[in-house]
Amino acid sequence: MTPLLFVWPYAAVYWATVVWAFSPEFGIIRRAKRSAGASDARSLQVILYGGQAAFLIGIPLAWLGPFQFSPALRPAAFFAGIALLVAGSLLRRHCFRMLGTSFTGDVRAAPGQEVVTRGAYALLRHPSYTAGILMNTAFGLALGSWGSALVFAAGSLAVYMYRIRVEERALLAAIGEPYERFMQTRKRLVPFVY
């Protein structure tokens, strides 16, 4: 059965939402590719290639019956995917505003850099990566496939975990004790859990 995001009028809703949700990401990636330094440890490439690998596995799963939601659940999964995509994008945009010029697509840290503790950063160390995981998982849901959603969630988690290790190492080296205190008082991706 064809995923709803390829069926009219669902397709119009989905692809308009995707353009809105991901448009800020392209500028961030473009700037990061120009300035990626040694502290990035190629984490941007890991995120981009990991995402491509998830797409190569996750999209074909959406056409396989055993990995699809039942036909009765597919519209609900589609709209849950749209809602999750919007929520993830709003959280990412919030993180862009909270970090300001410190939000970059590559890993950069400077001595004396402010440790942001307001907004979503009052609860988490890496809320923008939580948002990225939500946005990618949303694609699998919109495809109407629990298998695809699982692939996108697991793939996103894997690449962001690598990025978190690289980023935290760089921030500890550059900022030191203030960032270490920040790390001790917040979970990475899920408030009060992880």
Side-chain angles (χ1 to χ4, degrees):
M1 186 177 277
T2 303
L4 292 178
L5 61 87
F6 297 111
V7 176
W8 184 262
Y10 297 99
V13 172
Y14 181 76
W15 294 107
T17 307
V18 164
V19 168
W20 170 81
F22 283 97
S23 59
E25 306 291 330
F26 298 120
I28 291 167
I29 292 169
R30 189 172 37 259
R31 287 188 299 275
K33 284 183 175 181
R34 285 197 300 260
S35 63
S39 64
D40 187 64
R42 304 185 64 79
S43 67
L44 178 60
Q45 287 80 6
V46 169
I47 291 170
L48 295 175
Y49 293 137
Q52 290 172 357
F55 273 79
L56 289 174
I57 297 166
I59 291 175
L61 282 180
W63 269 268
L64 300 176
F67 297 101
Q68 294 177 342
F69 291 112
S70 71
L73 293 178
R74 292 177 77 220
F78 174 82
F79 288 111
I82 294 286
L84 196 60
L85 179 58
V86 168
S89 184
L90 289 173
L91 179 57
R92 285 278 288 181
R93 291 164 193 239
H94 167 75
C95 294
F96 298 164
R97 283 191 302 279
M98 291 297 102
L99 291 181
T101 58
S102 293
F103 194 102
T104 59
D106 58 337
V107 174
R108 289 184 229 167
Q113 179 177 323
E114 175 191 8
V115 178
V116 175
T117 59
R118 61 190 178 279
Y121 292 90
L123 295 173
L124 292 172
R125 294 188 329 237
H126 304 284
S128 69
Y129 300 150
T130 299
I133 293 167
L134 294 175
M135 291 171 71
N136 290 323
T137 303
F139 185 65
L141 287 175
L143 280 167
S145 168
W146 65 266
S148 297
L150 185 62
V151 166
F152 289 118
S156 297
L157 183 60
V159 298
Y160 283 125
M161 288 307 302
Y162 175 73
R163 176 61 163 274
I164 286 169
R165 284 192 299 276
V166 170
E167 187 171 304
E168 289 184 343
R169 191 169 42 244
L171 288 166
L172 281 170
I175 302 170
E177 194 267 332
Y179 192 74
E180 188 173 351
R181 273 197 322 268
F182 177 78
M183 289 175 65
Q184 293 169 352
T185 58
R186 288 152 181 84
K187 298 294 185 180
R188 287 183 177 101
L189 297 169
V190 181
F192 314 110
V193 178
Y194 177 78

